[in-house]
Amino acid sequence: MKHTIPRGTKDILPSEMPYWHLIESNSKKIFNLYGYQEIRTPIFENTPLFERGIGQDSDIVKKEMYTFIDKGDRSITLRPEGTAPVARSFINNGFHKKSGDSKLYYCGPMFRYERPQAGRYRQFHQIGIENIGTNHPSIDAETIAMAYHLFESIGLTKVKVLINSIGSQTCRPQIESKIKEYIHPVLSSLSEDNQDKVMKNPLRILDSKDPTIQSHLKKFPDIQSLLRPESQAYFKSVLSYLDAQNVPYQVTPTLVRGLDYYTETVFEIISDDLGAQNTICGGGRYNNLIKELGGQDTPAFGFAFGVERMILILEQQNTVSLEQDKSVFIAPIGKEHQNDGFKLANHLRRHGIPCMLDFTKNDLSPLLKKANKTNARFTLISGQNEVNNQTVILKDMKSGNQETIDRNKILETLTERLSYV
Ligand code: AMP
């Protein structure tokens, strides 16, 4: 029986790895520059964490979670996102007792039962950060600037920051009743799902793609005008801190984000190089989540981006130069010289030069064929003559040139040549 991969998942093959390494290493580097430390939480959590944290009426909790009962009769969920687990860990580990803010980052797989399409999977990877402890517009702006800085450093072009404020919980009732008022005349003609949204989570209706909803919201007032003065002033201040850091943005009044925990600033980073699934990164302020999950009242700000989607863009841009192959193939001619081959390889490996060997072949021609297949940049050939003379033949696999060099010059020569690759 042939086994197929589960729908919505993919193997990440070695050919894709240079992209993964580029994104992961740049993320860690940039997060460190801003004072963030890594945290790793379990891949599964108790289900109520997400029901409470993300919200019962969100699409994720209603339709997308991988939830199962384990052998101990507990309801377990594969994490669909990283913020609720980090918030739980913050509370469980008494992080609030630490002096100063908690600046945390994570990377790893997330699971959502969504309809798969390009850029949308059921297992995907997010890299994200959470800044927990301070309610100040400079935190929102510095964090968005960090995301922008990171995307630039990875080499993404054509990305845009979209930003909005959905106000605090005190602003929410007014916005929600206004939305209901606008939608009321067409409510009964909407799908059951949208009717449910209007009743339970009306804010989500603002970014709906349903044409009936859109036409009725055309004249909907700018959400900023419905915010309380404190929230308006907060948002203005976030924008001016972004200006100070030269981060370009576009205020987008219909941007509301899918998760219930957001308050005040919300933002997304989108790419013109992606089709329908054009959001790479999403985040915002969530001042109520930690309290909602049983912790002390603690404000926070965070974002997450999807690694697979970022790779789609990088592949499309085709502008990022990925690491070239810097390995050396060792080709001892004749079985009797294989141990010599091991010695050469181990000497080079100890000095950081990747080496490959193949002792199933002893003749030059099949050895060179193998060297080509492995994408080696250079091959070291050594037969009886070379052993007698304490030399080795260095073959450049790109140009085909070969030269004889002294054994005691191998390391020096390869180090120098590989530095130009
Ligand atoms: P969210 O947690 O929904 O705000 O998503 C943040 C980012 O994660 C998105 O902008 C995407 O880049 C990525 N993402 C979310 N859902 C998926 C998915 N099903 N497949 C691939 N990437 C996703």
Side-chain angles (χ1 to χ4, degrees):
M1 183 188 152
K2 195 172 158 198
H3 295 282
T4 52
I5 197 165
R7 192 165 142 74
T9 65
K10 71 200 267 301
D11 294 318
I12 304 163
L13 301 175
S15 56
E16 253 189 89
M17 275 310 160
Y19 285 115
W20 285 81
H21 293 165
L22 172 82
I23 294 170
E24 286 165 0
S25 64
N26 273 46
S27 302
K28 289 179 184 178
K29 199 169 78 195
I30 301 283
F31 294 157
N32 278 324
L33 291 176
Y34 287 75
Y36 284 75
Q37 291 179 308
E38 185 173 3
I39 183 166
R40 297 186 192 190
T41 62
I43 278 173
F44 58 85
E45 296 273 354
N46 294 321
T47 304
L49 172 72
F50 299 115
E51 290 172 341
R52 194 72 198 249
I54 303 174
Q56 294 276 10
D57 300 320
S58 62
D59 284 348
I60 291 186
V61 172
K62 275 199 330 210
K63 306 180 209 161
E64 297 170 1
M65 294 208 302
Y66 276 91
T67 298
F68 60 95
I69 302 296
D70 75 1
K71 290 189 171 60
D73 224 16
R74 301 172 198 90
S75 180
I76 296 291
T77 296
L78 301 186
R79 64 179 181 198
E81 56 99 57
T83 300
V86 171
R88 178 205 46 71
S89 179
F90 175 91
I91 299 165
N92 290 165
N93 293 294
F95 275 32
H96 62 278
K97 290 186 216 124
K98 264 183 26 170
S99 58
D101 293 345
S102 291
K103 291 171 147 195
L104 304 164
Y105 77 83
Y106 59 85
C107 16
M110 306 292 160
F111 305 85
R112 293 184 197 173
Y113 191 81
E114 293 194 87
R115 189 156 356 119
Q117 60 182 80
R120 200 204 277 157
Y121 306 97
R122 290 182 173 170
Q123 175 176 329
F124 59 99
H125 294 73
Q126 281 187 339
I127 296 183
I129 67 95
E130 313 297 346
N131 182 318
I132 309 176
T134 302
N135 187 28
H136 193 275
S138 63
I139 301 283
D140 308 28
E142 191 189 21
T143 313
I144 296 171
M146 175 169 77
Y148 193 74
H149 183 177
L150 169 57
F151 289 7
E152 267 186 337
S153 81
I154 289 172
L156 293 177
T157 55
K158 292 199 241 168
V159 290
K160 251 196 254 169
V161 177
L162 308 183
I163 189 166
N164 191 25
S165 170
I166 53 171
S168 66
Q169 271 191 326
T170 24
C171 309
R172 209 58 65 82
Q174 196 190 337
I175 303 172
E176 292 185 344
S177 71
K178 200 84 183 168
I179 295 172
K180 284 184 182 162
E181 188 188 304
Y182 270 68
I183 294 295
H184 184 72
V186 282
L187 186 64
S188 57
S189 69
L190 300 182
S191 68
E192 216 172 283
D193 193 33
N194 278 331
Q195 288 193 25
D196 203 42
K197 251 184 208 161
V198 175
M199 300 320 294
K200 294 186 178 147
N201 195 357
L203 210 57
R204 285 302 321 278
I205 281 296
L206 282 185
D207 69 354
S208 166
K209 298 207 167 60
D210 182 309
T212 317
I213 295 176
Q214 287 213 337
S215 74
H216 272 76
L217 288 178
K218 244 187 208 140
K219 296 211 175 92
F220 190 77
D222 186 341
I223 194 169
Q224 305 308 319
S225 65
L226 303 173
L227 303 183
R228 292 169 73 87
E230 313 85 85
S231 287
Q232 286 180 354
Y234 189 96
F235 189 50
K236 246 177 124 179
S237 182
V238 173
L239 299 184
S240 78
Y241 282 125
L242 282 176
D243 290 333
Q245 294 175 95
N246 287 326
V247 176
Y249 57 82
Q250 190 176 310
V251 176
T252 309
T254 50
L255 178 70
V256 285
R257 310 262 321 122
L259 316 180
D260 283 1
Y261 49 63
Y262 289 112
T263 50
E264 309 287 356
T265 317
V266 287
F267 80 102
E268 282 185 355
I269 299 186
I270 61 163
S271 163
D272 289 344
D273 278 330
L274 284 174
Q277 304 297 317
N278 68 349
T279 311
I280 329 163
C281 173
R285 179 158 283 288
Y286 53 95
N287 287 346
N288 305 319
L289 180 66
I290 308 255
K291 191 163 170 217
E292 186 69 32
L293 294 178
Q296 293 186 351
D297 200 359
T298 314
F301 191 96
F303 68 71
F305 64 88
V307 180
E308 286 83 353
R309 261 184 225 176
M310 190 171 277
I311 292 174
L312 278 181
I313 306 176
L314 291 174
E315 282 173 342
Q316 228 155 71
Q317 280 187 198
N318 203 16
T319 47
V320 175
S321 63
L322 297 170
E323 219 175 274
Q324 302 234 358
D325 206 324
K326 291 193 170 193
S327 67
V328 174
F329 192 83
I330 311 285
I333 312 294
K335 244 188 171 140
E336 64 281 19
H337 298 307
Q338 289 187 337
N339 285 348
D340 183 49
F342 261 147
K343 262 191 216 148
L344 274 174
N346 287 341
H347 172 60
L348 293 178
R349 284 175 181 146
R350 289 211 162 77
H351 288 86
I353 295 178
C355 287
M356 281 169 295
L357 301 150
D358 181 357
F359 286 180
T360 64
K361 299 172 177 53
N362 297 307
D363 295 328
L364 184 59
S365 162
L367 280 167
L368 286 179
K369 249 190 212 152
K370 185 67 193 254
N372 269 324
K373 264 199 186 153
T374 59
N375 262 340
R377 186 64 186 78
F378 295 99
T379 297
L380 288 183
I381 303 160
S382 166
Q384 192 59 54
N385 261 349
E386 288 69 33
V387 172
N388 289 346
N389 300 335
Q390 281 302 294
T391 57
V392 71
I393 298 172
L394 174 66
K395 185 175 176 75
D396 183 324
M397 301 303 286
K398 227 182 205 166
S399 65
N401 293 342
Q402 55 184 59
E403 65 199 283
T404 299
I405 53 173
D406 278 350
R407 290 225 161 191
N408 56 14
K409 290 270 164 47
I410 296 176
L411 182 63
E412 190 186 321
T413 313
L414 279 174
T415 308
E416 194 200 336
R417 303 270 171 98
L418 286 169
S419 70
Y420 295 120
V421 171

